[in-house]
Amino acid sequence: IFQTTNGGLTWNMKVNSIVNAIETPDIFFVNASNGWVLFNPQGDSSVVYRTTNRGQNWGMIKIPKISRFYFTNENDGVGTFQDSVYKTTNGGVTWKKIDLEQYEGNIVLNTIFFLNEKKGWMVGGRNVNNGYYRYPAILSTNDGGNSWSFNNFKTDYNMGLLTIAFVDSLNGVVCDNLLYYHSSSDGGKEWIRNNDALGFIFYILFTSEKEGWMTGAQGFIAHSIDRGKTWEKVISPTDVALGKISFVKNNTVGFIFAGQNTLLRYDKPVSVVDNGITQMPTKLILHQNYPNPFNPTTRINFSIPEDGKVLIKIFDVLGREVTTLLDGISSAGKHSVIWDGSNSASGIYFYSVTFKNQTLYKK
């Protein structure tokens, strides 16, 4: 378990567990202080590490076999392993198995999501006829996970469901293992399939009443501004599988945790608005590139007070020009350019922005 206190620039190891996990660990923080990390090793039990002081210290708890969990407050949480569902009311110390309704075949549950302390959903796949057909399975609860009921999901496709999220009590999105997503505007009673294949989606997060994000296989990122009804693919700097996405600083800074020791950061473009009027910069502004260090691409943001010619160049540590990123007219306001350093050697570089006889440099 690693912790950062400077926005992800450096990470310090807090727990070096000897647990040999056979599945991807799960992490969940219900607030700034209280969090849990779940490891699922071989055998008939799992291990949870819990913190109550912002990740400074962690205590280990041995629990029943669980591969995914979700907490709604400091005490109440729900966990699953295949078709088993568990509930805790004491912060993960003990877990009680929850009986489900009778169903045909067997279920593998993939994702748990709660809209509030009472209302939640679980999704997965239900195999019948010796596993030759997989039905989508959605279960919902209205009592904090003490009881669950199966929801209707009409489909002619052989598929399971990978992940689910709701932006409010009516509008939600669920993704299947055939690369498609389905949206609901009536609390999950009816689902409408979108015919544009996106990819294998592993995680959905809504950051406001309209805005949402998806992450998935092969570096997939998508963004929605209409409660998840439509999604626009976002250019990704990597093709590794992307996992959980998390936002901080009033949802202006985002992190995506990925495979192969990859951490992505997103800085939301923000305009300064006063009485409905966007304020333009009064001088040339050059921001620090991000990410930094990087491999192989990084983004350079700059702002200019009026329309004019902008020249952006990259130099090596000896001052030799490597490339010109921009040489042309830009409009007043904030802009960004991306440098792809794939063809350059590892090392330190500098960049310059020139506007109206003024030049600024950063490393």
Side-chain angles (χ1 to χ4, degrees):
I1 302 174
F2 292 85
Q3 181 191 44
T4 181
T5 57
N6 58 5
L9 297 179
T10 59
W11 294 81
N12 299 313
M13 183 180 291
K14 306 300 294 185
V15 173
N16 187 11
S17 175
I18 62 173
V19 175
N20 184 19
I22 60 175
E23 293 186 25
T24 303
D26 202 7
I27 184 170
F28 194 95
F29 271 77
V30 73
N31 52 40
S33 298
N34 292 271
W36 299 260
V37 175
L38 170 66
F39 294 99
N40 183 20
Q42 292 180 339
D44 57 0
S45 62
S46 296
V47 173
V48 164
Y49 284 86
R50 184 187 181 187
T51 180
T52 58
N53 60 0
R54 308 173 72 91
Q56 294 300 316
N57 304 101
W58 296 81
M60 188 181 74
I61 309 169
K62 193 172 182 179
I63 65 171
K65 193 70 169 179
I66 291 175
S67 58
R68 289 291 177 265
F69 60 0
Y70 197 109
F71 281 81
T72 57
N73 55 48
E74 298 175 8
N75 296 310
D76 297 320
V78 173
T80 67
F81 178 74
Q82 295 180 354
D83 60 351
S84 297
V85 179
Y86 296 88
K87 173 74 183 289
T88 180
T89 57
N90 55 11
V93 177
T94 59
W95 296 78
K96 175 185 176 182
K97 190 172 183 179
I98 304 298
D99 294 328
L100 300 180
E101 299 175 356
Q102 293 295 318
Y103 57 87
E104 180 186 3
N106 65 288
I107 290 179
V108 175
L109 295 169
N110 295 317
T111 299
I112 311 169
F113 174 82
F114 275 82
L115 182 64
N116 50 50
E117 291 191 5
K118 297 296 184 181
K119 184 63 177 177
W121 293 264
M122 296 187 295
V123 298
R126 181 166 61 92
N127 293 323
V128 296
N129 297 330
N130 297 322
Y132 294 117
Y133 194 93
R134 170 164 287 186
Y135 290 96
I138 296 183
L139 294 89
S140 64
T141 180
N142 292 309
D143 57 11
N146 293 307
S147 61
W148 295 84
S149 59
F150 284 90
N151 294 175
N152 181 42
F153 194 98
K154 297 178 181 178
T155 180
D156 296 326
Y157 301 97
N158 181 356
M159 67 180 189
L161 302 176
L162 298 179
T163 186
I164 188 171
F166 275 77
V167 64
D168 52 40
S169 61
L170 296 177
N171 296 278
V173 176
V174 66
C175 297
D176 63 39
N177 60 3
L178 296 179
L179 315 182
Y180 296 93
Y181 72 93
H182 310 249
S183 59
S184 175
S185 58
D186 58 6
K189 296 177 182 178
E190 297 290 337
W191 295 89
I192 299 175
R193 183 193 190 203
N194 188 282
N195 291 322
D196 295 327
L198 294 179
F200 287 108
I201 309 303
F202 301 141
Y203 195 71
I204 308 171
L205 174 69
F206 285 102
T207 55
S208 71
E209 61 180 11
K210 291 185 178 180
E211 188 172 23
W213 298 85
M214 286 180 176
T215 59
Q218 297 181 322
F220 180 85
I221 307 172
H223 183 222
S224 174
I225 55 174
D226 59 2
R227 296 185 175 90
K229 292 179 175 58
T230 60
W231 296 84
E232 180 180 355
K233 188 175 181 180
V234 176
I235 297 176
S236 174
T238 180
D239 60 359
V240 302
L242 303 183
K244 282 192 172 182
I245 182 170
S246 178
F247 275 80
V248 295
K249 293 185 178 180
N250 295 322
N251 295 322
T252 61
V253 177
F255 294 93
I256 300 177
F257 302 87
Q260 300 180 19
N261 296 326
T262 300
L263 174 63
L264 306 184
R265 172 169 168 152
Y266 167 81
D267 289 275
K268 185 176 182 179
V270 178
S271 298
V272 179
V273 179
D274 184 14
N275 296 325
I277 302 176
T278 301
Q279 302 298 311
M280 289 297 178
T282 59
K283 61 180 181 180
L284 172 64
I285 300 174
L286 178 60
H287 300 276
Q288 185 64 52
N289 65 299
Y290 196 89
N292 185 22
F294 65 94
N295 184 13
T297 62
T298 189
R299 182 182 298 272
I300 299 171
N301 296 318
F302 67 94
S303 300
I304 55 177
E306 57 185 275
D307 296 357
K309 183 178 180 180
V310 177
L311 179 64
I312 301 180
K313 292 187 175 183
I314 305 292
F315 302 90
D316 65 16
V317 72
L318 298 178
R320 296 173 298 195
E321 182 177 333
V322 176
T323 186
T324 298
L325 294 182
L326 179 63
D327 185 4
I329 302 297
S330 296
S331 59
K334 184 177 180 179
H335 302 271
S336 69
V337 294
I338 293 177
W339 180 38
D340 186 344
S342 299
N343 297 322
S344 299
S346 297
I348 297 174
Y349 292 84
F350 297 84
Y351 57 99
S352 69
V353 174
T354 301
F355 175 78
K356 299 281 187 180
N357 299 319
Q358 180 184 6
T359 301
L360 300 179
Y361 295 88
K362 284 191 180 294
K363 181 169 68 174

